[in-house]
Each structure stands twice: as structure tokens, then as C-alpha cells.
Amino acid sequence: MVNNHSERLDAVFHALADPTRRAMLRSLSDRARSVGELAAPFDMSLAAASKHIKVLEGAGLVRREIQGRTHVCRLDARPMHGGMEWMRHYERFWNERLDALDALLQAEDRALAATGKPRSQR
């Protein structure tokens, strides 16, 4: 059963809704990075980048480790599993409906073929 009321799921989708945060996650999928490295590709202050990272941390998608004066961020993709499960539910929903439509259209084609009329003359 898909959980539609999870605060964690809401936090994950909120975090993923922003292109800057998605780009940060993509960057972290290669390797751990400092806050400065995560902020560098964007035209934003370190404070603004830190706000994005805090959203990612709040969703459980990023783990921050303090090494002296450097904050190192690592990707933790496990919370995305709940989002994938939610989307798979709707993938199955649409696949079932499209399969039903396909079966209906094929049955209609067979019925038309039996009458010898082309589809446009119905």
C-alpha cells in the first residue's frame, strides 16, 4: 500500500521540486562535496546554498559531516525509495488503464474486420 501521508515523503518531494537541489544531489552522486563545492556552480551565496542543503538534510537525502572548518555533504538516497514506491503505484495504475484501452481497441478492430468495414466508416 502506498503511503500518501508521510511527512518524510512530503519532504523528499519538496526537496526534489527545486532544480538547484536536484543538481546538488546529482553532484553528490559522484562523490562527497563541501558546501563550497556544492555552491560553486550556482550564482548564489554560501548562505543560500546552505539553505538548500538544509532542505536536503531535512528530507534525509544529505548527511553533513563537519571536518574542522569544512562541512562535507554526502548523498543518502534511501529516502527516495518512498518516492519511487509512490510513483510505481501510479505507473501500475496507468499501465492497467492503457492495457484495458489497448484490449478494447483490439476488440473493436476485430469486430470491424469481421464486418469488412474500415474504421473510418463507422
Side-chain angles (χ1 to χ4, degrees), residues 39-72:
F42 306 102
D43 185 24
M44 67 175 60
S45 65
L46 282 178
S50 186
K51 286 181 182 178
H52 282 294
I53 294 167
K54 284 181 181 177
V55 171
L56 294 168
E57 287 179 306
L61 296 167
V62 166
R63 304 276 179 228
R64 186 189 310 226
E65 179 183 327
I66 301 171
Q67 297 176 351
R69 295 176 53 184
T70 304
H71 291 216
V72 177

Coordinates of all heavy atoms in Angstrom, one line a residue, residues 39-72:
A39 N 28.0 24.8 -3.8 CA 27.5 26.2 -4.1 C 28.2 26.7 -5.4 O 27.6 27.5 -6.1 CB 27.7 27.1 -2.9
A40 N 29.4 26.3 -5.7 CA 30.2 26.9 -6.7 C 29.5 27.0 -8.1 O 29.6 28.0 -8.8 CB 31.5 26.1 -6.9
P41 N 28.8 25.9 -8.6 CA 28.2 26.1 -9.9 C 27.0 27.1 -10.0 O 26.6 27.4 -11.1 CB 27.7 24.7 -10.2 CG 28.2 23.8 -9.2 CD 28.6 24.6 -8.0
F42 N 26.6 27.6 -8.9 CA 25.4 28.4 -8.9 C 25.7 29.8 -8.5 O 26.7 30.1 -7.8 CB 24.3 27.9 -7.9 CG 24.0 26.4 -8.1 CD1 24.6 25.4 -7.3 CD2 23.2 26.0 -9.1 CE1 24.3 24.1 -7.5 CE2 22.9 24.7 -9.4 CZ 23.5 23.7 -8.6
D43 N 25.0 30.8 -9.0 CA 25.1 32.2 -8.7 C 24.4 32.5 -7.4 O 23.3 33.0 -7.5 CB 24.6 33.0 -9.9 CG 24.9 34.5 -9.7 OD1 25.8 34.8 -8.9 OD2 24.2 35.3 -10.2
M44 N 24.9 32.0 -6.3 CA 24.3 32.2 -5.0 C 25.3 32.3 -3.9 O 26.5 31.8 -4.1 CB 23.2 31.1 -4.7 CG 23.8 29.8 -4.5 SD 22.7 28.5 -4.0 CE 21.6 28.5 -5.4
S45 N 24.9 32.9 -2.8 CA 25.8 33.0 -1.7 C 25.9 31.6 -1.0 O 25.1 30.7 -1.2 CB 25.3 34.0 -0.7 OG 24.0 33.5 -0.1
L46 N 26.9 31.5 -0.1 CA 27.1 30.2 0.7 C 25.9 30.1 1.6 O 25.4 28.9 1.8 CB 28.3 30.3 1.5 CG 29.6 29.9 0.7 CD1 30.8 30.0 1.6 CD2 29.6 28.6 0.1
A47 N 25.3 31.2 2.1 CA 24.1 31.1 2.9 C 22.9 30.5 2.2 O 22.2 29.7 2.7 CB 23.8 32.5 3.5
A48 N 22.8 31.0 0.9 CA 21.7 30.5 0.1 C 21.9 29.0 -0.2 O 20.9 28.2 -0.1 CB 21.5 31.3 -1.2
A49 N 23.1 28.6 -0.5 CA 23.4 27.2 -0.8 C 23.1 26.4 0.5 O 22.6 25.3 0.4 CB 24.8 27.0 -1.2
S50 N 23.5 26.9 1.6 CA 23.3 26.2 2.9 C 21.8 26.0 3.2 O 21.4 24.9 3.7 CB 23.9 27.0 4.0 OG 23.9 26.3 5.2
K51 N 21.0 26.9 2.8 CA 19.5 26.8 2.9 C 19.0 25.6 2.1 O 18.2 24.8 2.5 CB 18.8 28.0 2.6 CG 18.9 29.1 3.6 CD 18.1 30.4 3.2 CE 18.3 31.5 4.3 NZ 17.6 32.7 3.9
H52 N 19.5 25.5 0.9 CA 19.1 24.4 0.0 C 19.6 23.1 0.6 O 18.9 22.1 0.6 CB 19.7 24.5 -1.4 CG 19.0 25.5 -2.3 ND1 17.7 25.3 -2.7 CD2 19.4 26.7 -2.8 CE1 17.4 26.3 -3.5 NE2 18.4 27.2 -3.5
I53 N 20.8 23.1 1.1 CA 21.4 21.8 1.7 C 20.6 21.4 3.0 O 20.3 20.3 3.2 CB 22.9 22.0 2.1 CG1 23.7 22.2 0.8 CG2 23.4 20.9 2.9 CD1 25.1 22.7 0.9
K54 N 20.1 22.4 3.7 CA 19.3 22.1 4.9 C 18.0 21.5 4.5 O 17.5 20.6 5.2 CB 19.1 23.4 5.7 CG 20.3 23.8 6.5 CD 20.0 25.0 7.4 CE 21.3 25.3 8.1 NZ 21.2 26.5 8.9
V55 N 17.4 21.9 3.4 CA 16.2 21.3 2.9 C 16.5 19.8 2.6 O 15.7 18.9 2.9 CB 15.6 22.0 1.7 CG1 14.5 21.2 1.1 CG2 15.1 23.4 2.1
L56 N 17.6 19.6 1.9 CA 18.0 18.2 1.5 C 18.3 17.4 2.8 O 17.9 16.2 2.8 CB 19.2 18.2 0.6 CG 19.0 18.9 -0.8 CD1 20.4 19.1 -1.5 CD2 18.1 18.0 -1.6
E57 N 18.9 18.0 3.8 CA 19.1 17.3 5.0 C 17.8 17.0 5.7 O 17.6 15.9 6.3 CB 20.0 18.1 6.0 CG 21.4 18.2 5.6 CD 22.2 19.1 6.5 OE1 21.8 20.2 6.8 OE2 23.2 18.6 7.1
G58 N 16.9 17.9 5.7 CA 15.6 17.7 6.3 C 14.8 16.6 5.7 O 14.0 15.9 6.4
A59 N 15.0 16.3 4.4 CA 14.4 15.2 3.7 C 15.2 13.9 3.9 O 14.7 12.9 3.5 CB 14.3 15.5 2.2
G60 N 16.3 14.0 4.6 CA 17.2 12.8 4.8 C 18.0 12.4 3.6 O 18.6 11.3 3.6
L61 N 18.1 13.3 2.6 CA 18.8 13.0 1.4 C 20.3 13.3 1.4 O 21.0 12.9 0.6 CB 18.1 13.7 0.2 CG 16.7 13.3 -0.1 CD1 16.1 14.3 -1.1 CD2 16.7 11.9 -0.7
V62 N 20.6 14.1 2.4 CA 22.0 14.5 2.5 C 22.4 14.4 4.0 O 21.7 14.7 4.9 CB 22.2 16.0 2.1 CG1 23.6 16.6 2.5 CG2 22.1 16.1 0.6
R63 N 23.6 13.9 4.2 CA 24.2 13.8 5.5 C 25.4 14.7 5.5 O 26.2 14.7 4.6 CB 24.7 12.4 5.8 CG 23.6 11.3 5.7 CD 22.8 11.2 7.0 NE 21.8 10.2 6.8 CZ 20.5 10.4 7.2 NH1 20.2 11.5 7.7 NH2 19.7 9.5 7.0
R64 N 25.5 15.5 6.6 CA 26.6 16.5 6.7 C 27.5 16.1 7.8 O 27.1 15.7 8.9 CB 26.1 17.9 7.0 CG 27.1 19.0 6.9 CD 26.6 20.3 7.5 NE 25.4 20.7 6.8 CZ 25.2 22.0 6.4 NH1 26.1 22.9 6.5 NH2 24.0 22.3 5.9
E65 N 28.8 16.1 7.5 CA 29.9 15.8 8.5 C 30.8 17.0 8.6 O 31.2 17.6 7.5 CB 30.6 14.6 8.0 CG 31.8 14.1 8.9 CD 32.5 13.0 8.3 OE1 31.9 12.1 7.6 OE2 33.7 12.9 8.5
I66 N 31.1 17.4 9.8 CA 32.0 18.6 10.0 C 33.4 18.1 10.2 O 33.6 17.3 11.1 CB 31.5 19.4 11.2 CG1 30.1 19.9 10.9 CG2 32.4 20.6 11.4 CD1 29.4 20.6 12.1
Q67 N 34.3 18.5 9.3 CA 35.7 18.1 9.4 C 36.5 19.4 9.6 O 36.8 20.1 8.6 CB 36.1 17.4 8.1 CG 35.4 16.1 7.9 CD 35.7 15.4 6.6 OE1 36.4 15.9 5.8 NE2 35.3 14.1 6.5
G68 N 36.7 19.7 10.9 CA 37.4 21.0 11.1 C 36.5 22.2 10.8 O 35.4 22.3 11.3
R69 N 36.9 23.0 9.8 CA 36.1 24.1 9.4 C 35.3 23.8 8.2 O 34.5 24.7 7.6 CB 37.0 25.3 9.2 CG 37.6 25.8 10.4 CD 38.6 26.9 10.2 NE 38.0 28.0 9.4 CZ 38.6 29.1 9.0 NH1 39.9 29.2 9.3 NH2 38.0 30.0 8.4
T70 N 35.4 22.6 7.7 CA 34.8 22.2 6.4 C 33.5 21.3 6.7 O 33.6 20.4 7.5 CB 35.7 21.4 5.5 OG1 36.9 22.3 5.3 CG2 35.1 21.1 4.1
H71 N 32.4 21.6 6.1 CA 31.2 20.8 6.1 C 31.2 20.0 4.9 O 31.1 20.5 3.8 CB 30.0 21.7 6.2 CG 29.9 22.4 7.5 ND1 28.7 22.6 8.2 CD2 30.8 23.0 8.4 CE1 28.9 23.3 9.3 NE2 30.2 23.5 9.4
V72 N 31.3 18.7 5.1 CA 31.3 17.7 3.9 C 29.9 17.1 3.8 O 29.4 16.5 4.8 CB 32.4 16.7 4.1 CG1 32.3 15.7 2.9 CG2 33.7 17.3 4.1

